[in-house]
Amino acid sequence: MTNPASHERLVLHCDNVWIDPPGRFEPKSVEVVGGCIEAVRDRMAAPAAGIARPETDLGDACLMPGLINTHVHLEFSASPDPLRDFNGETIPERLSRAVRNARSMLLSGVTTLRDCGSSLDLLAHLRRRRDLPDLPRLLLSGPPITVPGGHLAFFGGEAPSPDDVAAVVSRLVSAGARSLKLMGSGGVMTPDTHPETASFPQETFCQVADAARANDVASVAHVLAAESVRRAAVAGFDSLEHCAFFFRASNGRLERRYDPEIAGIVAESGVSIMANLSTATRSHGTLARQGMQGNLDSQHALDQHDVMLENFRRLVELGIPIVCGTDAGVRDTPFEDTWVELELMARSGLSNIEVIRSASLNAARVLKLQGRVGRIAAGHSADFVVLKDSPLADVSSYREPLHVYRRGHLVTSPSSAGKE
Ligand SMILES: [Zn+2]
């Protein structure tokens, strides 16, 4: 597939085009040339000469910016055991799985995604395909910067010293990474990596956030431990992932213990949070259906899910900007389920307009893509999701998009998305 020809034109007429700011629907005609929005005019205004065909009237549907998911792992399988699948596949198998995963996200309405941790192979494989209409726009982090043996160290981003961190950063940037990911704490997915402890000193958090600014790429910190949340906020990362406030209880279990002082530091810093409330919700559903009798681990998991939602509510009350991400690809977290995250955020205290912004304006900002995606306005990529009902009234309308457009191309089914 090639880029859309510069002369390809399209006009979409719609009673309800999402204009943000100010955050409301207006009747508009959206003119697209060569994959980009050229103009947004009053509905049914006579198109300028030569821009008349083809035209589509979307009637009283809602034309929204395509969704932005800021946190996925394309190389993972979303099965109950993604690491087993990852280790059992050849590199070509894994790369074709990643492309299939990206396509299924596009069909679900996600037109921009960030991969938040992958192999260098994926970076090399996709760097030339990151802005083609058959896939979402791709922002790739490549291997996360992590301590030796740390979370997702097998991707190759281990950096024990500041010099090593600098070397990994320059390797990533020259390989085409447009986002730098720091593993600021251990992770649940990688055994023995201590999710309740900050992995690096404050200086390393600052070094990575500064390096991202110097290279004009996004910065993102995986922070499960409360202290890691604090260090990442102080360093000024663009977004903080998970913010679990994990604490190791005397019975050995990880517990979420909200820290109001650290939450206040986050609010003051102005950084955004990606809370991935929906991760592994399918397995939670299974646990709930099976009943909890006699299974303390399962009960603990469900209890902690409730604590997570309550903590999210408190972070929202502080006015911290929220961005949409799902951690798709990890255990029981499918790629087409971005709508689940939107619903959970709305059910946990985020207003519907802020839910919409978490996957459009706010997400574009933390990915350093503002002015290019996330708005229906001249100069932006013609990436749209068409919904039957207004998500401003009920965000569950994202569950089943009527249509998805990527760079002005209509994406209707896996086969047509692959053939275009
Ligand atoms: Zn992740």
Side-chain angles (χ1 to χ4, degrees):
M1 172 177 277
T2 57
N3 283 302
S6 59
H7 63 274
E8 281 186 39
R9 300 176 188 278
L10 167 75
V11 182
L12 297 173
H13 304 289
C14 184
D15 295 346
N16 303 298
V17 176
W18 182 248
I19 305 295
D20 194 15
R24 65 173 178 235
F25 288 104
E26 296 179 14
K28 295 288 186 188
S29 294
V30 180
E31 300 178 6
V32 174
V33 178
C36 245
I37 300 171
E38 178 151 291
V40 181
R41 305 181 194 281
D42 289 343
R43 195 192 199 295
M44 301 306 290
I51 308 184
R53 297 287 183 273
E55 299 194 19
T56 299
D57 195 326
L58 297 168
D60 64 357
C62 295
L63 185 67
M64 308 297 297
L67 292 170
I68 303 173
N69 188 322
T70 66
H71 191 132
V72 309
H73 298 275
L74 291 175
E75 272 173 303
F76 289 157
S77 64
S79 78
D81 194 349
L83 279 187
R84 185 201 55 204
D85 299 337
F86 182 91
N87 291 325
E89 286 175 333
T90 64
I91 291 173
E93 283 170 341
R94 210 189 287 151
L95 297 180
S96 53
R97 174 199 288 286
V99 170
R100 282 198 307 277
N101 289 339
R103 284 204 177 118
S104 77
M105 292 199 76
L106 181 61
L107 292 166
S108 75
V110 173
T111 54
T112 297
L113 67 81
R114 166 166 60 191
D115 187 289
C116 242
S118 75
S119 64
L120 274 175
D121 302 316
L122 188 75
L123 207 51
H125 187 62
L126 291 181
R127 69 177 294 188
R128 278 178 193 69
R129 305 182 66 181
R130 60 190 173 202
D131 197 22
L132 295 179
D134 62 338
L135 294 177
R137 184 182 188 116
L138 303 168
L139 199 81
L140 304 167
S141 307
I145 298 161
T146 193
V147 291
H151 186 36
L152 302 192
F154 56 84
F155 280 137
E158 289 172 309
S161 73
D163 284 348
D164 295 313
V165 170
V168 172
V169 166
S170 78
R171 183 154 48 103
L172 289 172
V173 171
S174 53
R178 301 297 302 156
S179 165
L180 294 180
K181 168 100 179 269
L182 178 71
M183 290 307 195
S185 71
V188 176
M189 189 171 172
T190 317
D192 306 320
T193 58
H194 308 295
E196 74 281 17
T197 310
S199 300
F200 287 101
Q202 181 68 61
E203 296 72 39
T204 307
F205 282 80
C206 292
Q207 183 186 359
V208 174
D210 290 347
R213 282 187 280 269
N215 287 285
D216 196 27
V217 299
S219 59
V220 54
H222 159 102
V223 282
L224 293 176
E227 177 59 18
S228 63
V229 174
R230 193 185 66 75
R231 290 179 191 178
V234 168
F237 273 79
D238 293 313
S239 58
L240 311 188
E241 314 300 277
H242 321 304
C243 294
F245 299 106
F246 270 155
F247 177 87
R248 183 74 66 179
S250 55
N251 62 9
R253 290 204 175 93
L254 286 170
E255 286 180 6
R256 294 170 182 267
R257 295 193 182 172
Y258 183 80
D259 185 321
E261 189 188 328
I262 290 176
I265 292 170
V266 174
E268 199 138 301
S269 72
V271 302
S272 301
I273 285 181
M274 189 294 302
N276 64 306
L277 307 177
S278 59
T279 302
T281 43
R282 293 203 182 199
S283 60
H284 286 129
T286 308
L287 294 175
R289 281 195 298 279
Q290 286 170 345
M292 291 304 104
Q293 297 87 340
N295 189 336
L296 291 175
D297 284 343
S298 301
Q299 184 60 55
H300 179 73
L302 288 178
D303 289 347
Q304 287 297 304
H305 185 76
D306 292 343
V307 174
M308 174 183 68
L309 298 184
E310 181 53 32
N311 289 351
F312 178 77
R313 191 179 298 278
R314 297 166 83 167
L315 296 168
V316 167
E317 281 169 4
L318 290 176
I320 295 169
I322 304 294
V323 295
C324 170
T326 57
D327 231 346
V330 306
R331 182 174 64 93
D332 292 319
T333 309
F335 288 86
E336 59 274 19
D337 273 8
T338 303
W339 61 270
V340 179
E341 183 72 20
L342 302 178
E343 286 193 7
L344 271 172
M345 288 194 287
R347 289 218 301 267
S348 307
L350 199 61
S351 64
N352 288 351
I353 189 169
E354 288 303 324
V355 171
I356 294 168
R357 287 172 175 160
S358 78
S360 56
L361 289 181
N362 292 359
R365 192 183 62 248
V366 303
L367 299 185
K368 297 205 181 298
L369 291 173
Q370 64 270 52
R372 286 186 267 177
V373 299
R375 284 181 70 201
I376 301 179
H380 289 67
S381 186
D383 299 340
F384 309 116
V385 56
V386 183
L387 305 177
K388 182 170 179 294
D389 299 308
S390 164
L392 194 56
D394 183 351
V395 300
S396 62
S397 63
Y398 279 111
R399 190 183 290 219
E400 286 182 60
L402 297 174
H403 307 292
V404 180
Y405 287 86
R406 168 76 178 118
R407 300 201 66 196
H409 285 240
L410 181 61
V411 179
T412 51
S413 69
S415 52
S416 69
K419 279 186 289 189
E420 268 191 282

